[in-house]
Amino acid sequence: MEVQFAPLRPWDEFLLGSARFAQPDFRDLVKWNNRVISNLLYYQSNYLAMAVGIFIVIGFMNPLEIILGGAVVVLIFMGSMWASENKAAIGHFKRHYPTMFVLTILLMSYFFISIIGGVMVFLLGITLPILLMFVHASLRLRNLKNKFENKMEEVGLKKSPMGIFLHALGQEQEHLSKFADMLAAQNKD
């Protein structure tokens, strides 16, 4: 099945005039989770546009920090992947060159501490949009079009990038139904 990008929903429907918001029922986690997933699927293009916009604004405000922070995050990720696959090489280096090993640790520590501001700016550029998406998806009430689009995704008539992402995280609607049934069974006992 071909992946289809969801259309950009009208901003009036997404956030302004006709948008309806309500506090979720925090006692019913399944219903709240279902609302979040439904809104993530339905408004995925709006969320992507919002995230890119926030990242660009933060990047314009602090361009050097966002570049350095992104580079450090990528280097840490790549370094951890390399270290997990080459533990023997690190142990060999540590045993045969203990002074160089300590100096390397000290230099890396100094490097990371000196650019921690850039890392924080980069992480803000990533986490702020995620936080805003979660808050919006939690508060936004679903409408009939939202429910219809989600059913099409659920039965496999349509596949979207957010649907693939949620599937990879194990957040499909049928898993939520099974989880709700399990919780209901436990509450009866």
Side-chain angles (χ1 to χ4, degrees), residues 14-172:
F14 177 67
L15 197 57
L16 303 170
S18 66
R20 295 181 359 216
F21 294 92
Q23 181 178 351
D25 183 9
F26 297 113
R27 295 178 305 247
D28 190 354
L29 294 179
V30 174
K31 190 173 180 182
W32 181 21
N33 195 18
N34 192 22
R35 180 194 287 189
V36 169
I37 290 173
S38 294
N39 284 327
L40 287 174
L41 288 169
Y42 187 70
Y43 294 112
Q44 62 187 287
S45 296
N46 295 71
Y47 291 140
L48 179 63
M50 180 185 67
V52 168
I54 291 171
F55 193 78
I56 288 172
V57 167
I58 291 173
F60 276 130
M61 290 172 32
N62 302 303
L64 183 60
E65 285 86 3
I66 201 100
I67 292 169
L68 283 175
V72 167
V73 169
V74 168
L75 287 173
I76 289 172
F77 178 75
M78 289 172 48
S80 66
M81 295 301 291
W82 180 83
S84 68
E85 294 178 8
N86 297 304
K87 292 177 186 173
I90 294 171
H92 176 75
F93 181 74
K94 184 175 164 183
R95 278 191 304 279
H96 288 85
Y97 307 103
T99 306
M100 286 299 293
F101 184 75
V102 170
L103 286 174
T104 303
I105 298 277
L106 290 174
L107 285 172
M108 286 175 53
S109 299
Y110 173 75
F111 176 71
F112 292 133
I113 289 171
S114 68
I115 59 171
I116 195 75
V119 172
M120 296 309 291
V121 169
F122 179 77
L123 292 178
L124 176 69
I126 299 294
T127 57
L128 182 61
I130 292 172
L131 175 66
L132 292 175
M133 283 182 225
F134 179 72
V135 168
H136 181 272
S138 292
L139 298 176
R140 178 69 170 93
L141 295 173
R142 294 173 288 161
N143 57 26
L144 192 57
K145 287 192 320 187
N146 184 324
K147 292 176 183 178
F148 177 72
E149 291 284 329
N150 291 333
K151 283 295 178 194
M152 286 181 58
E153 180 98 27
E154 185 179 328
V155 297
L157 296 175
K158 185 176 166 186
K159 205 171 232 358
S160 67
M162 182 65 77
I164 293 168
F165 180 70
L166 290 172
H167 177 74
L169 293 176
Q171 296 295 314
E172 299 95 0

